Amino acid sequence: MTATTTRAATGPVPVTAALALGDDALVLAHRLGEWAGRAPVLEEEVALANIALDLLGQARTLLSLVGDEDELAYLREERAFRNVQLVERPNGDFAHTIARQLYFSAYQHLLYTRLAEGDGPFAPLAAKAVKEVAYHLDHAEHWTLRLGDGTAESHERMRGAAEALWRYTGELFEPVEGLDGVDPAALRAAWTERVGDTLRRATLELPTGPTSVSWAAGGGRQGVHTEPFGRMLAEMQHLHRSHPGASW
Amino acid sequence: MTTTAPETVDTAALEAVFDAAVAADERIEPRDWMPDAYRATLIRQIAQHAHSEIIGMQPEANWITRAPSLRRKAILMAKVQDEAGHGLYLYSAAETLGVGRDELLDKLHSGRQRYSSIFNYPTLTWADVGAIGWLVDGAAITNQVPLCRCSYGPYARAMIRVCKEESFHQRQGYELLLALSRGTEAQHAMAQDAVNRWWWPSLMMFGPPDGESPHSAQSMTWKIKRHSNDELRRRFVDICVPQAESLGLTLPDPDLRWNEETGHYDFGPIDWDEFNEVLRGNGPCNEQRLARRREAHEEGAWVREAAAAYAAKHAPGPRPGGTPHHTPERGTAASGPTKHPEAMA
């Protein structure tokens, strides 16, 4: 941590950063919620819902720091959401869900660990949430191992998922304004090491690229999203928007 | 315990011990001798109870992605998660009777075992989530609280845990409906419509009338069941009427009125034809619910196989000449050892 970033915990909360972190958690919680009743085993019904609930709790805390949680969740349009594109990716098969969780939880764990060490407005939330995220990461890592080093089919699915989502990982390390002085770029080496180690133990390789010629995700923090996101929001917001001013 | 002594004599003696234990309100535990029919009845009942928890996730999960506030969304997610947990407790309780979870799920998927008829109704609006909490969970609790004293120990203990969580859900459902009832006109109408659609199916959850419930007498003798279907249904109606009044909602029954003489509410006739149709598989969502469950199971097969293969590769210690018996369905690290059906033919 650099000294220039210290901020009293009671100080003003930077909106951009709160929305970035809050939207990441909100959107991924929603995607995980789509698994309810569809998981491959009952234990995973419990685990995926548990992770979704933790993330939803984080989202509520973060959004409430800068406004009304429901107004922010239900009345903003697509271009106003600041989440990374990784978390809005459709669930796909179980391997895609696990790869998405591995990449995101590894990032969130490093980020929250750093935020918790500081004394900025996100420190109290990060200190609590980092314990939850450690569990999410453990869960994703164990499933990466089981799928990567399981059967030929699961290996191929896990490899395909790790590769397909790779282009969405670069965005995790873009700067976020007002993030208690934590530069996400500084997390990249540790993230690559942790994720790479897990993939190797799962008999998989760390994907390479995207190369200069292929497209890489990068607009989420600026409110530029992928096509499935609009449809996700339509479903999420429909009922709330149908009853303006109602309380629930 | 099997012995080579004359079977009739032994069985009679064992049966006498069993009957005395039940009569003395003692708990029957997994290693105790029990009549085959008692075991079979319990397996059927506990399995169907477990299946109901699992199928019952679907009508509510239908609204998770559309919940109108983040608070309600969190409550609903937690509830659906609890239901999966209840399914797990109940499959474990059934396993103590010598039947495996895989086998039970297989029977659910192939339609050889049932689940509660109530989950074959659709959740058409957000208010249905509240009506399910208040009425469906309310009926379930009325049924399940006496099961906390059921003669079979593992089932009774599972019910204690389940009832605590169900009571919480029931209050949340009531509170959801209260918010709607006191909300805008459109919200109030939504709540009333949901109660209109869920009231009668909830009353059907108590099963056929006493005169048409052939297994009830035996279950009551064995103290698996403590009260008759009609008795529990009447108790439920008595509880619901004043609650509906406090909610500011009506119950869709023109014959519903207080009876001074009996000290209970009289209520109108239940449409048993509809009940029987739903049980026969002809309810609005029977096909959809089962198809979804099968689909989740089939689409998850490769995941369970992967977990089993990984566990076999990484099992501690050498295993000369043998492959560990990991069945795919139980292939997660969290599950316990596989039980093989022994008592069930």
Side-chain angles (χ1 to χ4, degrees), chain A residues 16-87:
Chain A
T16 311
L19 292 182
L21 302 186
D23 289 349
D24 281 351
L26 177 71
V27 171
L28 187 53
H30 185 96
R31 284 296 189 209
L32 291 171
E34 293 173 351
W35 270 103
R38 298 168 186 266
V41 284
L42 277 177
E43 284 82 355
E44 282 307 296
E45 293 284 0
V46 177
L48 295 173
N50 206 322
I51 296 168
L53 272 168
D54 286 344
L55 289 167
L56 188 55
Q58 293 167 17
R60 296 180 66 191
T61 304
L62 284 156
L63 296 180
S64 298
L65 288 174
V66 293
D68 176 88
E69 60 178 34
D70 287 337
E71 261 174 48
L72 288 168
Y74 291 98
L75 299 176
R76 270 183 301 158
E77 293 192 357
E78 187 177 336
R79 292 282 282 110
F81 276 80
R82 301 292 166 197
N83 56 283
V84 289
Q85 294 177 357
L86 174 67
V87 295

Coordinates of all heavy atoms in Angstrom, one line a residue, chain A residues 16-87:
Chain A
T16 N -17.3 5.3 -8.4 CA -16.9 4.4 -9.5 C -16.4 3.1 -8.9 O -16.8 2.0 -9.4 CB -15.7 5.1 -10.3 OG1 -16.1 6.4 -10.6 CG2 -15.4 4.3 -11.5
A17 N -15.6 3.1 -7.9 CA -15.0 1.9 -7.3 C -16.1 1.0 -6.7 O -16.1 -0.2 -6.8 CB -13.9 2.2 -6.3
A18 N -17.0 1.7 -5.9 CA -18.1 0.9 -5.2 C -19.0 0.2 -6.3 O -19.4 -0.9 -6.1 CB -18.9 1.9 -4.4
L19 N -19.3 0.9 -7.4 CA -20.1 0.3 -8.4 C -19.3 -0.8 -9.1 O -19.9 -1.9 -9.4 CB -20.5 1.3 -9.4 CG -21.5 2.4 -9.0 CD1 -21.9 3.3 -10.1 CD2 -22.8 1.8 -8.3
A20 N -18.0 -0.6 -9.3 CA -17.3 -1.7 -10.0 C -17.3 -3.0 -9.1 O -17.6 -4.1 -9.6 CB -15.8 -1.2 -10.2
L21 N -16.9 -2.9 -7.9 CA -16.9 -4.0 -7.0 C -18.3 -4.6 -6.7 O -18.5 -5.8 -6.7 CB -16.3 -3.7 -5.6 CG -14.8 -3.1 -5.6 CD1 -14.3 -3.0 -4.2 CD2 -13.9 -4.0 -6.5
G22 N -19.3 -3.7 -6.5 CA -20.6 -4.1 -6.2 C -21.3 -4.8 -7.4 O -22.0 -5.8 -7.3
D23 N -21.1 -4.2 -8.6 CA -21.7 -4.8 -9.8 C -21.1 -6.2 -10.1 O -21.8 -7.1 -10.5 CB -21.5 -3.9 -11.0 CG -22.4 -2.6 -10.9 OD1 -23.3 -2.6 -10.0 OD2 -22.3 -1.7 -11.6
D24 N -19.8 -6.3 -9.9 CA -19.1 -7.6 -10.1 C -19.9 -8.7 -9.3 O -20.2 -9.7 -9.8 CB -17.7 -7.6 -9.6 CG -16.7 -7.0 -10.6 OD1 -17.1 -6.7 -11.8 OD2 -15.5 -6.8 -10.2
A25 N -20.1 -8.4 -8.0 CA -20.7 -9.3 -7.1 C -22.1 -9.5 -7.4 O -22.6 -10.7 -7.4 CB -20.5 -8.8 -5.6
L26 N -22.8 -8.5 -7.7 CA -24.3 -8.6 -8.0 C -24.5 -9.4 -9.3 O -25.4 -10.3 -9.2 CB -24.8 -7.1 -8.3 CG -26.3 -7.1 -8.7 CD1 -27.2 -7.4 -7.5 CD2 -26.7 -5.7 -9.2
V27 N -23.8 -9.2 -10.3 CA -24.0 -9.9 -11.6 C -23.6 -11.4 -11.4 O -24.3 -12.3 -11.9 CB -23.3 -9.2 -12.7 CG1 -23.3 -10.0 -14.0 CG2 -23.9 -7.8 -12.9
L28 N -22.5 -11.6 -10.8 CA -22.1 -13.0 -10.6 C -23.1 -13.8 -9.7 O -23.4 -14.9 -10.0 CB -20.7 -13.1 -10.1 CG -20.1 -14.6 -10.1 CD1 -20.2 -15.3 -11.4 CD2 -18.6 -14.5 -9.6
A29 N -23.6 -13.1 -8.7 CA -24.6 -13.7 -7.8 C -25.8 -14.1 -8.6 O -26.4 -15.2 -8.5 CB -25.0 -12.8 -6.7
H30 N -26.2 -13.2 -9.5 CA -27.4 -13.5 -10.4 C -27.1 -14.7 -11.3 O -28.0 -15.6 -11.3 CB -27.7 -12.3 -11.2 CG -28.9 -12.4 -12.0 ND1 -30.2 -12.0 -11.6 CD2 -29.2 -13.1 -13.2 CE1 -31.1 -12.3 -12.5 NE2 -30.5 -13.0 -13.5
R31 N -26.0 -14.8 -11.9 CA -25.7 -15.9 -12.8 C -25.7 -17.2 -11.9 O -26.2 -18.2 -12.4 CB -24.3 -15.7 -13.4 CG -24.3 -14.7 -14.6 CD -25.2 -15.2 -15.7 NE -25.0 -14.4 -16.9 CZ -26.0 -14.2 -17.8 NH1 -27.2 -14.8 -17.6 NH2 -25.8 -13.5 -18.9
L32 N -25.1 -17.2 -10.8 CA -25.1 -18.4 -10.0 C -26.5 -18.8 -9.5 O -26.8 -20.0 -9.4 CB -24.2 -18.2 -8.7 CG -22.7 -18.1 -9.1 CD1 -21.9 -17.7 -7.8 CD2 -22.1 -19.4 -9.7
G33 N -27.3 -17.8 -9.3 CA -28.7 -18.1 -8.9 C -29.5 -18.8 -10.0 O -30.4 -19.5 -9.7
E34 N -29.0 -18.7 -11.3 CA -29.6 -19.4 -12.4 C -29.4 -20.9 -12.3 O -30.1 -21.7 -12.9 CB -29.1 -18.9 -13.7 CG -29.5 -17.5 -14.0 CD -28.8 -16.9 -15.3 OE1 -27.9 -17.6 -15.8 OE2 -29.1 -15.8 -15.7
W35 N -28.4 -21.3 -11.5 CA -28.2 -22.8 -11.3 C -29.2 -23.5 -10.4 O -29.3 -24.7 -10.4 CB -26.8 -23.0 -10.7 CG -25.7 -23.1 -11.8 CD1 -24.8 -22.1 -12.1 CD2 -25.4 -24.2 -12.6 NE1 -23.9 -22.6 -13.1 CE2 -24.3 -23.9 -13.4 CE3 -25.9 -25.5 -12.7 CZ2 -23.8 -24.8 -14.3 CZ3 -25.4 -26.4 -13.6 CH2 -24.3 -26.0 -14.4
A36 N -29.9 -22.7 -9.6 CA -30.8 -23.3 -8.6 C -31.7 -24.4 -9.3 O -32.5 -24.0 -10.2 CB -31.6 -22.3 -7.9
G37 N -31.7 -25.6 -8.8 CA -32.5 -26.7 -9.3 C -31.9 -27.4 -10.5 O -32.5 -28.2 -11.1
R38 N -30.7 -27.0 -10.9 CA -30.1 -27.5 -12.1 C -28.7 -28.1 -11.9 O -28.0 -28.5 -12.8 CB -29.9 -26.5 -13.2 CG -31.2 -25.8 -13.7 CD -30.9 -24.6 -14.5 NE -32.1 -23.9 -14.9 CZ -32.8 -24.1 -16.0 NH1 -32.3 -24.9 -16.9 NH2 -33.9 -23.4 -16.3
A39 N -28.2 -28.1 -10.6 CA -26.8 -28.5 -10.4 C -26.6 -30.0 -10.5 O -27.6 -30.8 -10.5 CB -26.5 -28.1 -8.9
P40 N -25.4 -30.4 -10.8 CA -25.1 -31.8 -11.1 C -25.3 -32.8 -9.9 O -25.6 -33.9 -10.1 CB -23.7 -31.9 -11.6 CG -23.1 -30.5 -11.2 CD -24.2 -29.6 -11.1
V41 N -25.1 -32.3 -8.7 CA -25.4 -33.0 -7.5 C -26.0 -32.1 -6.4 O -25.8 -30.9 -6.5 CB -24.1 -33.7 -6.8 CG1 -23.6 -34.9 -7.6 CG2 -23.0 -32.6 -6.7
L42 N -26.7 -32.7 -5.5 CA -27.4 -31.9 -4.4 C -26.4 -31.0 -3.7 O -26.7 -29.9 -3.3 CB -28.1 -32.8 -3.4 CG -29.5 -33.2 -3.8 CD1 -30.0 -34.2 -2.8 CD2 -30.4 -32.0 -4.0
E43 N -25.2 -31.6 -3.4 CA -24.2 -30.8 -2.6 C -23.8 -29.5 -3.4 O -23.5 -28.5 -2.8 CB -22.9 -31.6 -2.4 CG -23.1 -32.7 -1.4 CD -23.8 -34.0 -1.9 OE1 -24.2 -34.0 -3.0 OE2 -23.8 -35.0 -1.1
E44 N -23.9 -29.6 -4.7 CA -23.6 -28.3 -5.5 C -24.7 -27.4 -5.5 O -24.5 -26.2 -5.7 CB -23.1 -28.7 -6.9 CG -21.7 -29.2 -6.9 CD -20.7 -28.2 -6.3 OE1 -20.5 -27.1 -6.7 OE2 -20.1 -28.6 -5.2
E45 N -26.0 -27.9 -5.4 CA -27.1 -26.9 -5.2 C -26.8 -26.0 -4.0 O -27.0 -24.8 -4.0 CB -28.4 -27.7 -4.9 CG -28.9 -28.5 -6.1 CD -29.6 -27.7 -7.2 OE1 -29.6 -26.5 -7.1 OE2 -30.0 -28.3 -8.2
V46 N -26.3 -26.7 -2.9 CA -26.1 -26.0 -1.7 C -24.9 -25.0 -1.9 O -24.9 -23.9 -1.5 CB -25.8 -26.9 -0.5 CG1 -25.4 -26.2 0.8 CG2 -27.0 -27.8 -0.3
A47 N -23.8 -25.6 -2.5 CA -22.6 -24.8 -2.6 C -22.7 -23.6 -3.5 O -22.3 -22.4 -3.2 CB -21.4 -25.7 -3.1
L48 N -23.4 -23.8 -4.7 CA -23.5 -22.6 -5.6 C -24.4 -21.6 -5.0 O -24.2 -20.4 -5.2 CB -24.0 -23.1 -7.0 CG -23.1 -24.1 -7.7 CD1 -23.8 -24.6 -9.0 CD2 -21.8 -23.4 -8.1
A49 N -25.5 -22.0 -4.4 CA -26.4 -21.0 -3.7 C -25.7 -20.3 -2.6 O -25.9 -19.1 -2.4 CB -27.6 -21.7 -3.2
N50 N -24.8 -21.0 -1.9 CA -24.1 -20.4 -0.8 C -23.2 -19.3 -1.3 O -23.1 -18.2 -0.8 CB -23.2 -21.5 -0.2 CG -22.9 -21.2 1.3 OD1 -22.7 -20.1 1.6 ND2 -22.9 -22.2 2.1
I51 N -22.4 -19.6 -2.4 CA -21.5 -18.6 -3.0 C -22.3 -17.4 -3.5 O -22.0 -16.2 -3.3 CB -20.7 -19.3 -4.1 CG1 -19.8 -20.3 -3.5 CG2 -19.9 -18.2 -4.9 CD1 -19.1 -21.3 -4.6
A52 N -23.5 -17.7 -4.2 CA -24.3 -16.6 -4.7 C -24.8 -15.7 -3.6 O -24.8 -14.5 -3.7 CB -25.5 -17.2 -5.4
L53 N -25.1 -16.3 -2.5 CA -25.6 -15.5 -1.3 C -24.5 -14.6 -0.8 O -24.8 -13.5 -0.4 CB -26.1 -16.4 -0.2 CG -27.6 -16.8 -0.4 CD1 -27.9 -18.0 0.6 CD2 -28.5 -15.6 -0.1
D54 N -23.3 -15.2 -0.7 CA -22.2 -14.4 -0.2 C -22.0 -13.2 -1.1 O -21.8 -12.1 -0.6 CB -20.9 -15.2 -0.2 CG -20.8 -16.3 0.9 OD1 -21.6 -16.2 1.9 OD2 -20.0 -17.2 0.8
L55 N -22.0 -13.5 -2.4 CA -21.7 -12.4 -3.3 C -22.9 -11.3 -3.3 O -22.6 -10.1 -3.4 CB -21.6 -13.0 -4.8 CG -20.3 -13.7 -5.0 CD1 -20.4 -14.5 -6.3 CD2 -19.1 -12.8 -5.0
L56 N -24.1 -11.8 -3.2 CA -25.2 -10.9 -3.1 C -25.1 -10.0 -1.9 O -25.4 -8.8 -1.9 CB -26.5 -11.7 -3.1 CG -27.8 -10.9 -3.2 CD1 -27.8 -10.0 -4.4 CD2 -29.0 -11.8 -3.3
G57 N -24.7 -10.6 -0.8 CA -24.4 -9.8 0.5 C -23.4 -8.8 0.3 O -23.6 -7.6 0.7
Q58 N -22.3 -9.1 -0.4 CA -21.2 -8.1 -0.7 C -21.8 -7.0 -1.6 O -21.5 -5.8 -1.4 CB -20.1 -8.8 -1.4 CG -19.3 -9.8 -0.6 CD -18.4 -10.7 -1.5 OE1 -18.1 -10.4 -2.6 NE2 -17.9 -11.8 -0.9
A59 N -22.6 -7.4 -2.6 CA -23.1 -6.4 -3.5 C -24.0 -5.4 -2.8 O -24.0 -4.2 -3.0 CB -23.9 -7.1 -4.6
R60 N -24.8 -6.0 -1.9 CA -25.8 -5.1 -1.1 C -25.0 -4.1 -0.3 O -25.3 -2.9 -0.2 CB -26.7 -5.9 -0.3 CG -27.6 -6.8 -1.1 CD -28.6 -7.6 -0.3 NE -29.5 -6.8 0.4 CZ -30.3 -7.2 1.4 NH1 -30.3 -8.5 1.8 NH2 -31.1 -6.4 2.0
T61 N -23.9 -4.6 0.4 CA -23.1 -3.7 1.2 C -22.5 -2.6 0.3 O -22.5 -1.4 0.7 CB -22.0 -4.5 1.9 OG1 -22.7 -5.5 2.7 CG2 -21.2 -3.6 2.9
L62 N -21.9 -3.0 -0.8 CA -21.2 -2.0 -1.6 C -22.1 -1.0 -2.2 O -21.8 0.2 -2.3 CB -20.4 -2.8 -2.7 CG -19.1 -3.5 -2.2 CD1 -18.7 -4.7 -3.1 CD2 -18.0 -2.5 -2.1
L63 N -23.2 -1.5 -2.8 CA -24.2 -0.6 -3.4 C -24.8 0.4 -2.4 O -25.0 1.6 -2.7 CB -25.2 -1.3 -4.2 CG -24.8 -2.2 -5.4 CD1 -25.9 -2.9 -6.1 CD2 -24.0 -1.4 -6.4
S64 N -25.0 -0.1 -1.2 CA -25.6 0.7 -0.2 C -24.6 1.8 0.3 O -25.1 2.8 0.8 CB -26.0 -0.1 1.0 OG -27.0 -1.0 0.6
L65 N -23.4 1.6 0.0 CA -22.4 2.7 0.4 C -22.6 3.9 -0.4 O -22.3 5.0 0.0 CB -20.9 2.2 0.2 CG -20.4 1.1 1.2 CD1 -19.0 0.7 0.7 CD2 -20.3 1.7 2.6
V66 N -23.1 3.7 -1.6 CA -23.2 4.9 -2.6 C -24.6 5.2 -3.0 O -24.8 6.0 -4.0 CB -22.3 4.7 -3.8 CG1 -20.8 4.7 -3.4 CG2 -22.6 3.4 -4.5
G67 N -25.6 4.5 -2.4 CA -27.0 4.9 -2.9 C -28.0 3.8 -2.4 O -27.7 3.1 -1.4
D68 N -29.2 3.8 -3.0 CA -30.2 2.8 -2.6 C -29.9 1.5 -3.4 O -29.8 1.6 -4.6 CB -31.5 3.3 -2.9 CG -32.6 2.3 -2.6 OD1 -33.1 2.3 -1.5 OD2 -33.0 1.5 -3.5
E69 N -29.7 0.4 -2.7 CA -29.3 -0.8 -3.4 C -30.3 -1.2 -4.5 O -29.8 -1.6 -5.6 CB -29.1 -2.0 -2.4 CG -30.4 -2.3 -1.6 CD -30.2 -3.5 -0.7 OE1 -29.1 -3.7 -0.1 OE2 -31.2 -4.3 -0.5
D70 N -31.6 -1.1 -4.2 CA -32.5 -1.5 -5.2 C -32.6 -0.6 -6.4 O -32.7 -1.0 -7.6 CB -33.9 -1.7 -4.6 CG -34.0 -2.9 -3.7 OD1 -33.1 -3.9 -4.0 OD2 -34.8 -3.0 -2.8
E71 N -32.5 0.7 -6.2 CA -32.5 1.7 -7.3 C -31.3 1.4 -8.2 O -31.4 1.4 -9.4 CB -32.3 3.1 -6.8 CG -33.7 3.8 -6.7 CD -33.5 5.2 -6.1 OE1 -32.6 6.0 -6.5 OE2 -34.4 5.5 -5.2
L72 N -30.1 1.1 -7.5 CA -28.9 0.9 -8.3 C -29.0 -0.4 -9.1 O -28.6 -0.5 -10.2 CB -27.7 0.9 -7.4 CG -27.3 2.3 -6.9 CD1 -26.3 2.2 -5.8 CD2 -26.8 3.2 -8.0
A73 N -29.6 -1.4 -8.4 CA -29.6 -2.7 -9.1 C -30.7 -2.8 -10.2 O -30.5 -3.4 -11.2 CB -29.9 -3.8 -8.1
Y74 N -31.8 -2.2 -9.9 CA -33.0 -2.4 -10.8 C -33.3 -1.3 -11.7 O -34.1 -1.5 -12.7 CB -34.2 -2.7 -9.9 CG -34.2 -4.0 -9.2 CD1 -33.8 -4.1 -7.9 CD2 -34.5 -5.2 -9.8 CE1 -33.7 -5.3 -7.2 CE2 -34.4 -6.4 -9.2 CZ -34.0 -6.5 -7.9 OH -33.9 -7.7 -7.2
L75 N -32.8 -0.1 -11.5 CA -33.2 1.0 -12.3 C -32.0 1.6 -13.2 O -32.2 2.6 -13.9 CB -33.8 2.1 -11.5 CG -35.1 1.7 -10.8 CD1 -35.6 2.8 -9.8 CD2 -36.2 1.2 -11.7
R76 N -30.9 1.0 -13.1 CA -29.8 1.4 -14.0 C -29.9 0.6 -15.3 O -30.3 -0.5 -15.3 CB -28.4 1.2 -13.4 CG -27.9 2.4 -12.6 CD -26.5 2.1 -12.1 NE -26.5 0.9 -11.3 CZ -25.4 0.2 -11.0 NH1 -24.2 0.5 -11.6 NH2 -25.4 -0.9 -10.3
E77 N -29.5 1.3 -16.4 CA -29.5 0.5 -17.7 C -28.1 -0.1 -17.9 O -27.2 0.2 -17.2 CB -30.0 1.4 -18.8 CG -31.5 1.8 -18.6 CD -32.1 2.4 -19.8 OE1 -31.4 2.7 -20.8 OE2 -33.3 2.7 -19.6
E78 N -28.1 -0.9 -18.9 CA -26.9 -1.7 -19.2 C -25.6 -0.8 -19.2 O -24.6 -1.2 -18.6 CB -27.1 -2.4 -20.5 CG -26.1 -3.3 -20.9 CD -26.4 -4.0 -22.3 OE1 -27.6 -4.0 -22.6 OE2 -25.5 -4.4 -22.9
R79 N -25.7 0.3 -19.8 CA -24.5 1.1 -20.0 C -24.0 1.7 -18.7 O -22.9 2.2 -18.6 CB -24.7 2.2 -21.1 CG -24.9 1.7 -22.5 CD -23.5 1.3 -23.1 NE -22.8 2.5 -23.6 CZ -21.7 2.9 -23.1 NH1 -21.1 2.3 -22.0 NH2 -21.0 4.0 -23.6
A80 N -24.8 1.7 -17.7 CA -24.4 2.2 -16.4 C -23.8 1.2 -15.4 O -23.3 1.5 -14.3 CB -25.5 2.9 -15.7
F81 N -23.8 -0.1 -15.8 CA -23.2 -1.1 -15.0 C -21.7 -1.2 -15.2 O -21.2 -1.1 -16.3 CB -23.8 -2.5 -15.3 CG -25.1 -2.7 -14.5 CD1 -26.3 -2.1 -14.9 CD2 -25.1 -3.4 -13.3 CE1 -27.5 -2.3 -14.2 CE2 -26.3 -3.6 -12.6 CZ -27.5 -3.0 -13.0
R82 N -20.9 -1.3 -14.1 CA -19.5 -1.2 -14.1 C -18.8 -2.6 -13.9 O -17.6 -2.6 -13.6 CB -19.0 -0.2 -13.0 CG -19.5 1.1 -13.2 CD -19.0 1.8 -14.4 NE -19.8 3.0 -14.8 CZ -19.7 3.6 -16.0 NH1 -19.0 3.2 -16.9 NH2 -20.5 4.7 -16.2
N83 N -19.5 -3.7 -13.9 CA -18.9 -5.0 -13.7 C -18.0 -5.4 -14.9 O -18.2 -5.0 -16.0 CB -20.0 -6.1 -13.5 CG -20.9 -6.1 -14.7 OD1 -21.8 -5.2 -14.8 ND2 -20.8 -7.1 -15.6
V84 N -17.0 -6.2 -14.6 CA -16.2 -6.8 -15.7 C -17.1 -7.8 -16.5 O -18.0 -8.4 -16.0 CB -15.0 -7.6 -15.1 CG1 -13.9 -6.6 -14.6 CG2 -15.3 -8.6 -14.1
Q85 N -16.7 -7.9 -17.7 CA -17.5 -8.8 -18.6 C -17.5 -10.3 -18.2 O -18.4 -11.0 -18.4 CB -17.1 -8.6 -20.1 CG -17.4 -7.2 -20.6 CD -16.9 -7.0 -22.0 OE1 -16.3 -7.8 -22.6 NE2 -17.2 -5.8 -22.5
L86 N -16.4 -10.6 -17.5 CA -16.2 -12.0 -17.1 C -17.4 -12.5 -16.3 O -18.0 -13.6 -16.6 CB -15.0 -12.2 -16.3 CG -14.7 -13.6 -15.6 CD1 -14.5 -14.6 -16.7 CD2 -13.6 -13.5 -14.6
V87 N -17.9 -11.7 -15.3 CA -19.0 -12.2 -14.5 C -20.3 -12.2 -15.1 O -21.2 -12.9 -14.6 CB -19.1 -11.3 -13.2 CG1 -17.8 -11.5 -12.3 CG2 -19.4 -9.8 -13.5

